[in-house]
Amino acid sequence: MEPTVLGGKLASSLMGPLLKRLFVADGPGAGLVDRPVRLRSLVSFRGEKRALVEKDVHKLAEHLVRQAVDSPGEPPFRAGEQIAVADALARRLLALGDLDMDDVQAVRLGHRELAAKLAHAAAAPAGLSLDGLSPDARYFLDSATEWACLQILEFFTRRSTFVARTLVEQTRSQAELIAKIDALLARTPRPDARDTGFERRYRSYVAQHHNHLTIYGIDLRDSPDHWPLEVAYLSLEATADEERSLPGDDSGPAPATLRLPAEEALHAHDRVLLRGDAGSGKTTLVQWLAVTAAQEGARIPYVLPLRTLIRGGALPAPEAFLTAVSCPLSAPQGWAERVLAAGRGLVLVDGLDEIPDADRHGTRAWLLSLIHAFPGNRWLLTSRPSAVRPDRLAAEGFRELALAPMRRTDVATFVRRWHTAARAPEFEGPLLDSLRTKRDLARLATNPLMCGLICALHRERRGYLPTGRKELYEAALTMLLARRDRERGMGSVDEVELGEETQLELLQRLAYALVLSGRTEMDLETAEAIVDRCLPSVALPGGWNAPTVLRTLLLRSGMVRQPVAGVLDFVHRTFQDYLGARYAVEEGHLDVLVGHAADTHWEDVIRMAVAHARPRERAFLLRQLLAGEVPRLTLLALACLEHAAALDAGVRAEVERRAAALIPPRAAEDAKALAEAGPLVLELLPGPEGLTREEALGVTITASVLGTEEPEGALGVLRRFRGHPDLEVRRQLAGTWSRFDTAVYASEVLDHLDRESLFVRCESAEQRAALTGMRPWRGLAFLGTHSAGQILAAVPEPGTLTFLDLRDNPLLTDLGALLPFGSLRELQLARCPKARGLDGLAGLSLAELVCGQIADVTGLGSLRSLVRLSADQELPGDSLTAVLPLEAGLEFLFLGRDSTNRTGLRGLEHWTSLTELSLGPLTRELSAADWQAVVALPELKQLHLNARILRELPRSIDHMPELPGVSALRVPGLLGTEDFSALARRLPRLRTLTLQNMPGHTFPLSHFSEHFPEADVSLSRR
């Protein structure tokens, strides 16, 4: 019969489920536990736990054959052969358990080959012969076997282990193939295969060899002189002067300064000349670029320090690059040329300024020949500014960039990373505070070299760097003038080699000339004239002229530079002051120093002069500073004491006695007066240890006032008080946020404050953004224009807010938008001219509401939970009961300007729970009927009367009856001319009287206290 007919008779829907019973249930995974998984372990009629026995398989075969015979249509064979065919089919199915293969191999074999193997396996052991069967029966048997195998293989491919095992088999095959190929390549390597293996080892070497920073030229016992590059590296900024046309400007290109991260210098240009002063980070950048390239693998880095290459005589060809820098790896023959020819090189040539001037022309020719021979690579050349004149390499396609000084944020980041690398976190905070408050120290820390030196010396002295600043300058000078070049292996760079003392003598004369002129730069002609006058007094061989010596100073000292052509200045103003003071003391120019003491630009010069001076000279200088009894000069004398190790005891005591009257400030007025002395004060402010709460508040007020002029230094002081427990100190810290960088102040101060009874003001979008990054605040004040949505977005956890103050906000409309602040207890609304819908806040449990100058107050009556209420605008209706919440148990009520114009105090007697009534600068006279409402308040104990009522509405007091229940009175806004005699007669049992003056007005307390002889009278000054 035809196979299609057989397929119809043995339908898959019937045969599949039947044949599935031949196999045990499969489990998850790839089936790797029993390797390989043979078919004998899958069938269900073998092993100890049998789901089927041979008899069951025979019944299964009989059922399949019967289905085919009983189906409609022509029988596939004679009826008498049914038993024999079923028996033969059963034996073929049982032969599955004898095949030495797994399911994956069976599927790979195919259903026809599998059927043939089953037929052979079933016939071989028992000698089974099919000779007795008719051709139709044999054909049916073979077709049925193939059809069964097709269903079996379909079953195999659906097992959960099959796909996973197939992938495993493929992976194994691939791994074997790769291993064989690798073995073949190892026996017969090609040149590019050798290159690949070497490059892997070379990149690893570069990444490890250059992955550290080193400070040359200092001797420190406990501080590291090197640390991991990836920990301490700081992204520096490079600048370039360019001509740019502004959008919409037809006037043509205008000069502009481009700023970009230095490590991105080669992204847009493949040839860069990078200039930078001594210690600015040129070599560090070279190392970073090399390590990064080695790790990423896209380019092959070559680090070529010229001071090393020049020692070998002729500059190296590419094949000698590695040998010239003492790389221990041996490259395959021609590897470097193949890399450069393919344009895969990153060639980093460091230190054009570190080779003799006579060799620079040849070095330039060598570099350009390499560039022309191997186009497509990236090239970086570094140099100090004075070693290469501007645009010297512009014609060769080099873009010129200059490393910029580090910013304050960069310095802070460097300090943190340095202390992390040095594992000295305990010294990080004090040093950051010193860098903020010590201006000359901050001016020194403008490049990685000086920052590293400051960090190391600070740690070496166990955190007491401010008492040894002279040592810092001396260490820095020694490092820059002599030791750094020597320890980096550099010999004489030019025909003149200047010793440290010779350089100091020349530099201090240049510095003193600048100090006397009040400038920070001079032209080269003036500088050459100063050097020329100095040459006879320094130990230099004859024949060396001033231009040559000055050029050497510019190139190698690291102290002076040429910011522009023809101009000289010091790399740090603090070095100019230090060296100028040194020369002034050596020459005995003490009167000159004293004569300039009133000039703030001479502050650091005078302090350094005290450091350089002998004890008698120090005493003279300090006495002269005290002589004028000028607070700023007294503080300058105090600042000088840190540099005066040896000093007359009497002079020291007098300086400290005079300064003690100024520092710490003990009142707000003293604090503000102290701030007038300028940023110098910040270095001298103590605390918080050992200060009273008044002194601590005074210090924070002084630092806050100076925040605008010297924000970094002021922040360093305020940061020390962020853990102070006093509420007034914490309020001062929270209230001065707007004077500082928003994000920095938030993270450095605000986020560390104790939130108890404290709120913070938010006035800008930047401050709103900073709020989202801080711990939740329970009290917030939004001043100015903020929409309700912006306010909600600034409070990530609205359920924590209990106090909210909204002022001067024209965007606030529907007050119901504040409902998400579900825990709100106190709300203040002032000058929000479009705000309405107080009834929308009825769902909140408000205990206190302050409202003034809002659009509508008619919803007040729905706020039943109020205990304290202040209204500072005209109230609608003819009685307070028409607008105030009748069901609220008010204990405090304030009625301000215009509040009583229509209502008077009528209806006030309704709130019998009132204990405190405050009347502001009313504009309507109070009548006797108004006061009768007050008399009817049984719990009233405290009364507040604005002094304007006494001055402008005196008849209000005439109408006032006796209030025997009032024991406390507060009168703000006093000018000192008011008459209290009428009040005294109406408050017979007054025990506490608190007075507050108007700003700018003073008066004797006795003027008012005589009317209340039995009361405790106090004055709160404004």
Side-chain angles (χ1 to χ4, degrees):
M1 67 181 299
E2 293 298 323
T4 55
V5 176
L6 178 62
K9 292 180 175 294
L10 298 178
S12 298
S13 61
L14 295 174
M15 194 169 185
L18 290 174
L19 292 176
K20 187 175 181 181
R21 294 179 57 203
L22 295 174
F23 302 96
V24 296
D26 64 324
L32 300 178
V33 177
D34 181 14
R35 293 179 292 179
V37 181
R38 299 303 178 186
L39 294 184
R40 66 173 64 96
S41 66
L42 299 178
V43 295
S44 61
F45 47 80
R46 294 179 66 106
E48 297 180 1
K49 297 181 180 180
R50 301 184 181 186
L52 296 177
V53 296
E54 289 191 18
K55 182 179 179 181
D56 295 324
V57 178
H58 280 279
K59 288 182 179 180
L60 177 63
E62 290 173 3
H63 180 71
L64 291 172
V65 172
R66 190 183 311 115
Q67 287 284 336
V69 171
D70 294 343
S71 298
E74 180 185 355
F77 51 85
R78 296 192 302 269
E81 296 178 302
Q82 185 172 336
I83 296 176
V85 169
D87 182 65
L89 180 59
R91 292 192 177 279
R92 289 186 177 184
L93 293 177
L94 288 169
L96 280 168
D98 298 323
L99 295 183
D100 188 20
M101 67 174 65
D102 57 31
D103 54 349
V104 175
Q105 293 170 334
V107 172
R108 189 183 301 140
L109 194 64
H111 70 284
R112 288 190 174 85
E113 289 296 324
L114 178 61
K117 284 188 174 293
L118 290 179
H120 178 74
L128 181 65
S129 174
L130 302 179
D131 293 340
L133 295 177
S134 66
D136 285 344
R138 288 198 297 271
Y139 183 75
F140 172 85
L141 178 61
D142 290 340
S143 297
T145 304
E146 288 185 10
W147 198 258
C149 287
L150 189 61
Q151 295 293 327
I152 288 169
L153 296 185
E154 173 69 15
F155 166 72
F156 285 164
T157 61
R158 293 183 181 182
R159 296 179 69 243
S160 62
T161 60
F162 179 80
V163 174
R165 276 193 45 76
T166 302
L167 293 176
V168 171
E169 292 292 335
Q170 291 175 350
T171 301
R172 288 173 178 165
S173 300
Q174 291 173 355
E176 292 175 2
L177 180 61
I178 290 171
K180 291 176 181 177
I181 292 174
D182 286 345
L184 178 63
L185 289 175
R187 289 194 298 270
T188 57
R190 299 194 323 238
D192 58 345
R194 291 195 299 269
D195 288 356
T196 301
F198 173 76
E199 286 176 12
R200 189 182 301 117
R201 290 186 294 124
Y202 176 69
R203 288 197 300 269
S204 176
Y205 166 79
V206 170
Q208 183 176 6
H209 181 69
H210 292 287
N211 194 23
H212 66 274
L213 297 178
T214 300
I215 302 179
Y216 292 99
I218 56 175
D219 287 321
L220 299 175
R221 181 180 63 257
D222 298 324
S223 297
D225 62 353
H226 65 277
W227 56 93
L229 181 66
E230 71 271 9
V231 175
Y233 178 74
L234 180 72
S235 178
L236 302 172
E237 194 173 57
T239 63
D241 294 329
E242 295 184 345
E243 298 256 331
R244 285 186 177 182
S245 296
L246 297 176
D249 187 355
D250 299 330
S251 60
T257 299
L258 173 70
R259 308 181 79 95
L260 75 160
E263 59 268 24
E264 297 179 9
L266 289 167
H267 287 186
H269 293 76
D270 56 11
R271 303 176 193 179
V272 172
L273 169 62
L274 184 68
R275 301 174 185 268
D277 294 316
S280 60
K282 301 184 297 297
T283 299
T284 301
L285 175 62
V286 165
Q287 291 179 241
W288 180 259
L289 292 174
V291 170
T292 303
Q295 292 172 343
E296 293 176 351
R299 289 187 175 271
I300 304 300
Y302 301 95
V303 179
L304 304 176
L306 284 172
R307 64 179 178 273
T308 301
L309 301 185
I310 207 71
R311 294 193 207 117
L315 291 166
E319 63 269 17
F321 278 178
L322 303 191
T323 304
V325 295
S326 301
C327 175
L329 302 179
S330 298
Q333 184 69 30
W335 167 75
E337 285 199 20
R338 288 192 292 272
V339 168
L340 296 177
R344 296 194 299 122
L346 174 63
V347 186
L348 306 167
V349 183
D350 186 29
L352 184 62
D353 59 287
E354 297 176 356
I355 60 175
D357 185 61
D359 293 323
R360 289 175 198 157
H361 179 77
T363 300
R364 175 178 175 272
W366 165 78
L367 179 60
L368 294 180
S369 67
L370 289 174
I371 292 173
H372 296 152
F374 301 104
N377 297 282
R378 291 183 177 176
W379 310 81
L380 176 71
L381 175 64
T382 74
S383 174
R384 294 189 189 181
S386 55
V388 184
R389 71 173 185 265
D391 299 325
R392 181 72 174 88
L393 295 172
E396 305 298 338
F398 273 83
R399 183 192 197 189
E400 294 194 8
L401 298 175
L403 283 177
M406 293 167 64
R407 303 185 185 190
R408 293 289 180 90
T409 53
D410 298 332
V411 173
T413 301
F414 183 98
V415 170
R416 293 189 184 100
R417 292 181 181 178
W418 189 95
H419 285 85
T420 298
R423 298 178 182 177
E426 67 274 20
F427 299 114
E428 176 187 312
L431 179 56
L432 286 173
D433 286 342
S434 294
L435 287 168
R436 291 185 178 112
T437 57
K438 310 290 184 179
R439 290 173 297 152
D440 56 340
L441 193 64
R443 286 199 295 265
L444 195 62
T446 56
N447 64 48
L449 177 66
M450 297 309 300
C451 284
L453 174 65
I454 291 170
C455 290
L457 289 173
H458 181 260
R459 183 191 181 195
E460 182 74 11
R461 287 155 178 77
R462 316 304 296 172
Y464 289 99
L465 183 61
T467 61
R469 201 168 315 156
K470 180 171 178 285
E471 298 177 17
L472 172 65
Y473 297 147
E474 290 173 345
L477 287 167
T478 298
M479 176 181 65
L480 291 172
L481 298 181
R483 294 190 54 184
R484 187 165 181 258
D485 281 353
R486 184 170 65 248
E487 293 180 15
R488 293 166 75 202
M490 292 178 56
S492 175
V493 175
D494 227 326
E495 64 269 22
V496 180
E497 183 170 4
L498 302 176
E500 181 179 351
E501 286 299 322
T502 300
Q503 293 182 75
L504 279 173
E505 183 64 29
L506 297 169
L507 290 168
Q508 69 183 21
R509 296 197 185 196
L510 293 170
Y512 190 54
L514 286 171
V515 169
L516 286 175
S517 67
R519 299 178 179 178
T520 57
E521 57 184 37
M522 66 174 63
D523 59 75
L524 286 184
E525 289 185 9
T526 302
E528 287 178 2
I530 294 171
V531 171
D532 189 56
R533 289 194 297 271
C534 183
L535 286 181
S537 62
V538 296
L540 289 178
W544 288 358
N545 56 36
T548 302
V549 173
L550 183 61
R551 186 170 63 251
T552 301
L553 276 179
L554 284 166
L555 188 61
R556 299 283 5 123
S557 71
M559 284 285 103
V560 287
R561 63 181 180 179
Q562 278 187 274
V564 295
V567 174
L568 173 145
D569 71 356
F570 278 79
V571 292
H572 301 290
R573 169 68 182 270
T574 188
F575 283 136
Q576 174 183 309
D577 293 342
Y578 175 86
L579 291 168
R582 187 176 189 262
Y583 186 76
V585 171
E586 287 182 359
E587 295 298 309
H589 294 176
L590 302 185
D591 289 331
V592 175
L593 295 169
V594 172
H596 287 85
D599 186 345
T600 57
H601 293 97
W602 280 67
E603 283 180 1
D604 292 331
V605 179
I606 292 171
R607 294 169 70 178
M608 290 298 98
V610 171
H612 287 296
R614 293 178 289 273
R616 287 185 180 179
E617 295 167 332
R618 288 173 180 163
F620 171 80
L621 287 171
L622 294 176
R623 286 194 184 99
Q624 293 301 309
L625 292 177
L626 295 176
E629 297 187 357
V630 178
R632 194 188 71 81
L633 297 185
T634 298
L635 296 174
L636 178 57
L638 179 63
C640 290
L641 291 186
E642 72 170 278
H643 307 291
L647 178 65
D648 180 88
V651 175
R652 184 184 296 275
E654 180 63 14
V655 171
E656 292 174 345
R657 185 187 67 79
R658 296 270 197 96
L662 302 171
I663 295 180
R666 294 162 182 84
E669 295 82 359
D670 298 334
K672 294 173 183 176
L674 181 61
E676 294 177 1
L680 168 70
V681 172
L682 293 171
E683 301 183 31
L684 307 174
L685 291 175
E689 298 80 7
L691 298 182
T692 66
R693 58 173 299 277
E694 292 80 7
E695 291 170 343
L697 179 59
V699 169
T700 55
I701 291 174
T702 299
S704 298
V705 172
L706 289 168
T708 303
E709 186 175 355
E710 190 74 19
E712 285 290 330
L715 178 61
V717 174
L718 297 176
R719 185 177 179 273
R720 302 199 298 262
F721 288 81
R722 64 189 187 185
H724 202 282
D726 183 70
L727 177 59
E728 291 303 316
V729 173
R730 290 186 286 121
R731 283 177 176 169
Q732 179 63 36
L733 294 175
T736 194
W737 188 9
S738 60
R739 296 175 185 265
F740 299 89
D741 179 274
T742 301
V744 173
Y745 195 83
S747 62
E748 292 286 315
V749 178
L750 292 182
D751 208 23
H752 299 268
L753 295 178
D754 180 1
R755 307 290 205 259
E756 185 64 31
S757 302
L758 190 68
F759 69 91
V760 68
R761 293 182 178 88
C762 178
E763 302 178 73
S764 65
E766 292 77 14
Q767 290 180 339
R768 287 202 311 268
L771 283 177
T772 63
M774 286 190 276
R775 293 183 294 115
W777 283 86
R778 291 197 291 266
L780 289 172
F782 288 89
L783 311 183
T785 305
H786 310 271
S787 69
Q790 291 171 334
I791 292 171
L792 287 167
V795 188
E797 299 181 33
T800 63
L801 198 68
T802 60
F803 169 85
L804 180 62
D805 185 357
L806 304 173
R807 296 174 184 266
D808 303 304
N809 191 341
L811 295 183
L812 190 63
T813 54
D814 181 13
L815 294 173
L818 304 179
L819 276 177
F821 299 119
S823 301
L824 199 63
R825 297 284 293 166
E826 183 177 351
L827 175 63
Q828 298 189 8
L829 301 167
R831 297 179 296 280
C832 300
K834 297 182 181 179
R836 61 179 64 249
L838 283 171
D839 53 344
L841 301 176
L844 299 176
S845 299
L846 284 178
E848 180 171 355
L849 173 67
V850 177
C851 64
Q853 302 179 44
I854 67 173
D856 186 13
V857 295
T858 54
L860 263 176
S862 62
L863 304 182
R864 305 175 182 178
S865 59
L866 288 180
V867 177
R868 298 174 64 86
L869 173 62
S870 299
D872 193 13
Q873 66 184 80
E874 187 173 282
L875 299 177
D878 58 2
S879 171
L880 294 176
T881 55
V883 60
L884 302 188
L886 296 176
E887 299 179 34
L890 293 179
E891 297 176 3
F892 170 88
L893 177 64
F894 169 80
L895 298 172
R897 184 189 304 272
D898 300 326
S899 297
T900 61
N901 284 359
R902 297 172 61 180
T903 64
L905 297 180
R906 291 183 294 276
L908 183 64
E909 67 274 10
H910 174 82
W911 290 275
T912 57
S913 55
L914 275 176
T915 62
E916 192 171 355
L917 176 63
S918 179
L919 300 176
L922 302 181
T923 56
R924 175 190 176 279
E925 187 177 276
L926 295 176
S927 66
D930 291 324
W931 284 113
Q932 286 305 312
V934 177
V935 171
L937 297 174
E939 301 296 327
L940 187 66
K941 299 293 187 294
Q942 300 183 57
L943 182 63
H944 301 231
L945 291 175
N946 190 280
R948 184 173 173 180
I949 297 176
L950 281 73
R951 293 193 304 271
E952 301 180 10
L953 304 172
R955 289 180 57 82
S956 294
I957 306 302
D958 293 340
H959 295 150
M960 180 180 176
E962 187 175 291
L963 299 174
V966 174
S967 61
L969 174 66
R970 180 176 179 272
V971 185
L974 286 164
L975 300 179
T977 60
E978 295 81 1
D979 183 6
F980 273 28
S981 58
L983 268 178
R985 294 192 300 270
R986 288 160 173 78
L987 300 173
R989 297 182 182 176
L990 196 68
R991 295 294 176 265
T992 303
L993 175 61
T994 304
L995 308 175
Q996 186 179 68
N997 66 302
M998 283 280 283
H1001 293 268
T1002 60
F1003 46 80
L1005 198 60
S1006 60
H1007 180 68
F1008 300 101
S1009 61
E1010 62 184 8
H1011 297 288
F1012 300 94
E1014 298 183 12
D1016 180 12
V1017 184
S1018 62
L1019 176 63
S1020 174
R1021 294 188 180 275
R1022 293 188 62 187

